[in-house]
Amino acid sequence: MIAENFNYEAPSTLEEAISLLHEYGDEAKILAGGHSLIPMMKLRFAAPTHLIDINNIPGLSYVKEEGGMLKIGAMTKEVEVEDSEIIKSKYHLFTDATKLIADPQVRNFGTLGGNLAHGDAANDHPAVMFALGASVEITGKDGKRTVPIDDFFHGFYTTSVQHGEVLTEIQIPAASGRFGSAYHKAERKVGDYATAGVAAMVQIDEDGKCTRAGIGLTNVNSIPMRAARSEEVLIGSDLSESVINQAALFASEDCNPSEDLRGNVEYKRHLVKIITKRMLNKAISRAK
Amino acid sequence: MTKKITLKINGAEHTMEVEPRMLLVHAIRENASLTGTHIGCDTSSCGACTILIDGKSAKSCTVLAVQADGKEIATVEGLATAEGLHPIQEGFHLNHALHCGFCTPGMMMRAIELLEKNPNPTEDEIRWGIAGNLCRCTGYNNIVSAIQWTSAKMQGKELPSTEPKFV
Ligand SMILES: Cc1cc2nc3c(=O)[nH]c(=O)nc-3n(C[C@H](O)[C@H](O)[C@H](O)COP(=O)(O)OP(=O)(O)OC[C@H]3O[C@@H](n4cnc5c(N)ncnc54)[C@H](O)[C@@H]3O)c2cc1C
Ligand code: FES
Ligand code: FES
């Protein structure tokens, strides 16, 4: 399958990329890892006339903790997240999620920024970002702005990244104290998109009380979503079994899956309930 | 509008004029006439087109040729030298790790990066490591054995038996 023809440019600075994106407007698309965009162009679901490859721009790929934040450069590849010592030591849900995203070859290319900017509810990182309470830094002609993940996804393949803008950084409140997180998705085969997936995060104080909680859901709503009612019952609770059961039930009630080849609505709601329960228990056990 | 690019494939420079939409796998097979890299699914699913770009395994049906401009590319044709087969080829040969052979070039290129990053992988790590490569013939067990054998060989360890195992 061959994509429609396009012009290709690979600028070496962010300013240049932004000015090219302005010049071409909605005819242009950013090329990051290309592992969502190129398949879509081959199927001719997308036919941009200009591709702006941002891989030659230095400084967009890193994982670091700074000023109470975990910061991930938009061009950081899945494999770099997988291999990061900071991630492996504290942010276990990334390790859980990356292992289940596609396969090693795809993870050598796919970027975290691309995974979010693609705006697909089937992708796994959106749920991770909801669970962690992330914000996304977007850079345009007039500088940078920061958008909370709750306001980022607008609809099918649409996000708050406007034409002429580049998603540059993911910002996450750093793990502190007794912090634990976990991610799992049910998939038909290794590397498949989720039938249903759940990301969970909890922070617990010395008395065993939950001070922060986050739950994000994958592929059970038209856009990536937070299980807000579930979080409410968790925060301030003692995370007892009955609280966890209630949170899992709320997540399964509040999601809005549609029937497809991966399963029917009832089955997907059931998966959300079971996986939420398991991921909460896993996150709690990791919150040492 | 075409672009002039240079691919360094297995050490040799190939300069070519390509449309930006040309896929790397087509540049390798058609422009550089190296047909050892296969096209199975053409949808990033099967791994038959796996090559190395600057040492990293990639599905060349999902990379544009222009993205690889100036990069070092390794394909199956570059594995054997005048001295003989590459250890991964020897491993696949001795362990009967192929039947039709369609998946084999991609499987071996993937295994090379796997062993480069993790010289002594567990069986589980090997199976996760080749999760992006489909084989419709072997049932994978002999492929796993071949990679284990190659791991031992490359580290100068005692070589596992290559007697067929019936599982
Ligand atoms: C076989 C296969 C299986 C997969 N399975 C999974 C899976 O299980 N889970 C999962 O989450 N994903 C999966 N993916 C998708 C993969 O993770 C993609 O790499 C990812 O969704 C997009 O990242 P990318 O860097 O490749 O982006 P690209 O494909 O380059 O871009 C995607 C979109 O985002 C835009 N974009 C990219 N970067 C930026 C930026 N910095 N600023 C603004 N816009 C930007 C592009 O213009 C484009 O519209 C799979 C892909 C393949 C090929
Ligand atoms: S041909 Fe590239 S993954 Fe199948
Ligand atoms: S040997 Fe035939 S597909 Fe693997």
Side-chain angles (χ1 to χ4, degrees):
Chain A
M1 293 174 296
I2 313 285
E4 279 197 41
N5 244 324
F6 54 84
N7 285 314
Y8 170 87
E9 280 166 88
S12 52
T13 67
L14 195 55
E15 294 69 41
E16 219 181 316
I18 289 170
S19 108
L20 287 169
L21 289 165
H22 264 279
E23 191 179 325
Y24 303 132
D26 61 3
E27 304 277 276
K29 272 215 168 279
I30 292 170
L31 178 72
H35 274 51
S36 287
L37 184 55
I38 294 173
M40 282 182 64
M41 289 172 64
K42 286 169 71 179
L43 293 165
R44 305 209 174 187
F45 290 153
T49 56
H50 294 270
L51 267 197
I52 313 298
D53 184 344
I54 58 172
N55 284 278
N56 289 350
I57 302 173
L60 290 177
S61 138
Y62 49 85
V63 180
K64 61 182 181 196
E65 278 183 331
E66 197 180 78
M69 289 283 195
L70 170 69
K71 297 184 172 175
I72 304 178
M75 289 299 286
T76 310
K77 296 181 190 314
E78 301 288 350
V79 64
E80 292 162 341
V81 172
E82 250 177 308
D83 292 346
S84 153
E85 290 305 325
I86 298 179
I87 296 293
K88 280 194 273 193
S89 65
K90 292 195 214 168
Y91 301 93
H92 297 109
L93 82 176
F94 277 110
T95 308
D96 296 343
T98 46
K99 187 174 183 184
L100 299 176
I101 291 177
D103 55 59
Q105 288 96 311
V106 174
R107 295 199 296 272
N108 276 342
F109 273 82
T111 65
L112 262 72
N115 198 290
L116 300 178
H118 191 49
D120 187 346
N123 275 3
D124 294 292
H125 284 298
V128 168
M129 300 303 158
F130 274 107
L132 292 175
S135 293
V136 168
E137 178 196 86
I138 299 169
T139 306
K141 216 169 48 190
D142 306 322
K144 297 178 191 306
R145 61 195 179 93
T146 308
V147 179
I149 200 69
D150 293 79
D151 301 331
F152 183 72
F153 300 102
H154 291 186
F156 193 53
Y157 295 144
T158 50
T159 68
S160 47
V161 179
Q162 304 294 316
H163 298 302
E165 291 187 320
V166 182
L167 194 167
T168 40
E169 188 177 79
I170 297 157
Q171 302 169 345
I172 292 166
S176 65
R178 290 178 61 194
F179 174 97
S181 63
Y183 182 78
H184 187 68
K185 67 175 174 188
E187 49 182 3
R188 296 172 301 176
K189 63 170 185 64
V190 175
D192 188 22
Y193 290 98
T195 306
V198 181
M201 177 277 288
V202 292
Q203 199 163 323
I204 307 170
D205 69 12
E206 294 97 70
D207 308 326
K209 210 171 87 185
C210 175
T211 52
R212 275 176 73 212
I215 296 189
L217 306 179
T218 302
N219 220 5
V220 287
N221 192 45
S222 60
I223 57 173
M225 70 172 279
R226 172 189 298 288
R229 274 204 302 161
S230 310
E231 294 175 358
E232 279 162 28
V233 289
L234 294 165
I235 297 169
S237 81
D238 58 355
L239 297 173
S240 65
E241 196 182 333
S242 66
V243 170
I244 289 167
N245 285 340
Q246 190 59 47
L249 182 68
F250 280 159
S252 72
E253 285 174 0
D254 295 351
C255 67
N256 189 19
S258 38
E259 177 167 348
D260 59 17
L261 288 172
R262 293 188 175 85
N264 64 23
V265 172
E266 195 189 348
Y267 173 60
K268 290 183 181 184
R269 284 193 199 279
H270 178 71
L271 283 177
V272 168
K273 189 163 75 188
I274 302 297
I275 304 174
T276 301
K277 207 182 295 183
R278 289 187 188 163
M279 289 310 103
L280 276 171
N281 282 321
K282 200 166 185 177
I284 292 164
S285 74
R286 283 170 170 174
K288 291 199 198 82
Chain B
M1 204 175 48
T2 60
K3 275 214 179 276
K4 190 173 177 176
I5 60 167
T6 300
L7 305 178
K8 283 184 219 146
I9 311 179
N10 306 323
E13 290 201 351
H14 296 258
T15 298
M16 50 186 90
E17 198 65 54
V18 300
E19 285 186 345
R21 62 178 172 169
M22 178 178 249
L23 299 172
L24 180 56
V25 70
H26 293 137
I28 292 170
R29 289 177 54 86
E30 289 158 28
N31 295 27
S33 303
L34 294 166
T35 54
T37 301
H38 293 161
I39 303 175
C41 64
D42 198 12
T43 56
S44 355
S45 306
C46 75
C49 64
T50 301
I51 50 138
L52 304 181
I53 304 177
D54 288 343
K56 304 230 159 51
S57 55
K59 292 178 171 176
S60 58
C61 72
T62 312
V63 179
L64 303 170
V66 288
Q67 287 178 278
D69 186 18
K71 305 242 157 89
E72 299 273 354
I73 291 167
T75 70
V76 67
E77 287 91 345
L79 294 184
T81 62
E83 279 86 65
L85 295 178
H86 185 283
I88 194 75
Q89 292 175 306
E90 220 181 323
F92 270 63
H93 170 207
L94 293 173
N95 289 278
H96 313 280
L98 58 143
H99 291 180
C100 79
F102 195 84
C103 69
T104 314
M107 202 63 94
M108 292 195 298
M109 299 317 287
R110 173 60 206 138
I112 287 172
E113 193 204 357
L114 169 65
L115 291 174
E116 175 75 33
K117 266 185 94 168
N118 182 0
N120 200 14
T122 62
E123 177 180 340
D124 193 52
E125 286 166 343
I126 292 173
R127 289 186 184 271
W128 278 97
I130 57 169
N133 295 72
L134 300 182
C135 175
R136 295 290 84 147
C137 303
T138 63
Y140 300 98
N141 287 333
N142 288 359
I143 294 176
V144 173
S145 302
I147 297 173
Q148 286 168 325
W149 185 93
T150 309
S151 157
K153 169 96 179 183
M154 290 175 88
Q155 295 178 89
K157 290 190 180 162
E158 192 188 331
L159 296 173
S161 159
T162 56
E163 282 302 305
K165 287 181 280 291
F166 297 98
V167 283

